[in-house]
């Protein structure tokens, strides 16, 4: 009997350690997504590029205000940086028109393409650190 209770205690400890390990992994993933989103928002806010939304032009700072509003609305659906980009920063929910980025001396590009490229560059830089 003592051996069975000892086995159960060991099994409980192993399950606890596995749960703790998985929780740490989940925390690290969430922190990474939050870091990536924060990086993109900071980048948008400080860029010289302009955000075109429904035919109107906005500064990066104005774009961030709008994106953060949409982020609050879609909070429960955002589970990755890519879903953040797709849900908050690519097109109008009402008109369905895509947002564009207009950078000095460059052709305008869909915001989704631009943001995914900035995310890719950030991930490469972080992986190299």
């Amino acid at each position: 009997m003592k051996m069975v209770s000892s086995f159960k205690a060991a099994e409980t400890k192993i399950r606890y350690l596995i749960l703790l390990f998985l929780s740490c992994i989940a925390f690290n993933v969430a922190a990474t997504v939050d870091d990536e989103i924060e990086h993109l928002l900071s980048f948008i806010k400080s860029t010289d590029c302009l955000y075109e939304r429904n035919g109107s032009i906005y500064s990066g700072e104005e774009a961030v205000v709008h994106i953060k509003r949409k982020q609050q609305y879609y909070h429960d659906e955002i589970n990755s940086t890519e879903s953040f980009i797709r849900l908050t920063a690519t097109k109008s929910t009402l008109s369905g028109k895509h947002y564009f980025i207009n950078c000095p001396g460059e052709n305008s590009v869909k915001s989704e393409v631009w943001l995914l490229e900035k995310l890719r560059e950030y991930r490469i830089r972080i992986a190299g650190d």
Side-chain angles (χ1 to χ4, degrees):
M1 285 299 246
K2 191 171 187 172
M3 189 172 188
V4 171
S5 92
S6 171
F7 177 73
K8 286 185 178 185
E11 183 180 23
T12 301
K13 286 180 185 178
I14 290 171
R15 286 182 183 191
Y16 173 77
L17 289 173
I18 290 171
L19 182 61
L20 182 63
F21 175 74
L22 292 175
S23 296
C24 288
I25 290 173
F27 175 76
N28 284 336
V29 169
T32 300
V33 170
D34 289 343
D35 291 344
E36 289 176 346
I37 290 171
E38 190 55 42
H39 169 76
L40 290 175
L41 290 171
S42 293
F43 186 82
I44 293 166
K45 187 175 183 177
S46 66
T47 186
D48 289 336
C49 301
L50 299 174
Y51 226 83
E52 183 178 338
R53 199 176 81 235
N54 292 321
S56 297
I57 304 294
Y58 299 91
S59 70
E61 199 167 319
E62 293 168 317
V64 167
V65 170
H66 179 74
I67 291 168
K68 283 185 174 183
R69 249 185 278 133
K70 288 180 80 172
Q71 182 182 17
Q72 289 175 341
Y73 181 80
Y74 288 110
H75 182 266
D76 292 339
E77 296 175 52
I78 296 172
N79 54 21
S80 67
T81 309
E82 289 81 1
S83 66
F84 165 78
I85 292 169
R86 180 177 41 81
L87 292 167
T88 68
T90 59
K91 66 181 180 178
S92 170
T93 307
L94 298 176
S95 71
K97 291 181 181 179
H98 285 273
Y99 301 158
F100 287 88
I101 303 298
N102 300 304
C103 297
E106 297 179 27
N107 292 330
S108 78
V109 62
K110 284 184 179 178
S111 62
E112 181 176 26
V113 171
W114 188 73
L115 288 168
L116 289 172
E117 177 60 21
K118 298 305 173 193
L119 175 60
R120 186 187 69 77
E121 291 170 4
Y122 176 73
R123 286 176 173 169
I124 289 170
R125 194 179 79 225
I126 293 301
D129 287 348

